[in-house]
Amino acid sequence: MSSAVAATRAVTLAGIQAPIKARLDRVVPELQKIVAHELPSIQQVAHHLLQAKGKLFRPTLTLLASDVEERGAEKAVTLSAAIELMHLATLVHDDSVDHSVKRRGMPTLNKVFSHEVAVIMGDYLYARALGALVRLENLTVVRIMTDVTAELAIGEIKDHPLRAQRR
């Protein structure tokens, strides 16, 4: 086996995340701060949703990329959290559309609460993520993320053709 192949096999996500670990550790608290609200039902649903932390792959890529341009490195934690929230919103909506009962080993929002709550919470996550992006005062980022969100919705519509409901 060549040394290049052996080195490739030794790469782990933790190894990739090591140079940005301090900032990556700030992403989940930033997520919690962005979705925080005094309404108890939002607190309850957000708590359930955020207790199953994923691999934080998107924040990892964002933080690694931010190291290339130092002037944006501090805002990168908020950007990472917003991107992760938007991803989480897509998962919440997908789980509701697909009637999934588990995600990351935990019951989905639609299973624990209802499909209506899941859709509303997914919308809330999108709105809070976009609000966080606006506060970064970078319209290019806001435009890109809103375009991506629209494309995601278009993709879902293509996957679920419209059918007239008869009542």
Side-chain angles (χ1 to χ4, degrees):
M1 176 181 338
S2 75
S3 61
V5 171
T8 302
R9 290 187 181 164
V11 174
T12 64
L13 183 57
I16 292 169
Q17 292 172 331
I20 54 157
K21 182 159 178 17
R23 287 187 298 147
L24 191 61
D25 287 345
R26 293 176 29 213
V27 170
V28 172
E30 184 71 10
L31 286 167
Q32 294 166 337
K33 184 175 98 177
I34 293 170
V35 299
H37 195 277
E38 67 273 0
L39 191 64
S41 54
I42 290 179
Q43 291 174 9
Q44 182 182 4
V45 176
H47 174 75
H48 175 80
L49 191 58
L50 296 178
Q51 71 186 44
K53 187 176 98 173
K55 295 179 286 258
L56 299 176
F57 188 68
R58 285 152 200 82
T60 297
L61 293 176
T62 304
L63 293 172
L64 287 170
S66 75
D67 282 348
V68 173
E69 187 176 326
E70 289 181 26
R71 65 186 170 101
E74 200 48 44
K75 292 182 176 183
V77 171
T78 300
L79 177 60
S80 297
I83 290 170
E84 188 69 5
L85 281 179
M86 293 184 90
H87 171 63
L88 196 51
T90 66
L91 298 179
V92 168
H93 282 160
D94 283 348
D95 289 343
S96 186
V97 167
D98 298 338
H99 300 274
S100 300
V101 296
K102 283 206 169 191
R103 167 77 63 182
R104 296 177 178 162
M106 292 186 56
T108 59
L109 290 185
N110 51 286
K111 175 70 175 163
V112 174
F113 301 101
S114 69
H115 290 287
E116 295 84 359
V117 167
V119 170
I120 293 165
M121 191 62 176
D123 291 348
Y124 177 77
L125 294 176
Y126 276 128
R128 297 301 291 199
L130 287 172
L133 293 175
V134 167
R135 286 187 292 283
L136 292 177
E137 298 180 349
N138 184 329
L139 288 180
T140 302
V141 171
V142 174
R143 181 185 47 76
I144 290 168
M145 294 306 289
T146 54
D147 289 349
V148 166
T149 303
E151 288 301 315
L152 288 167
I154 290 166
E156 282 297 315
I157 290 170
K158 287 179 180 178
D159 283 350
H160 298 86
L162 299 177
R163 294 183 188 88
Q165 298 267 336
R166 296 183 190 230
R167 291 183 186 227

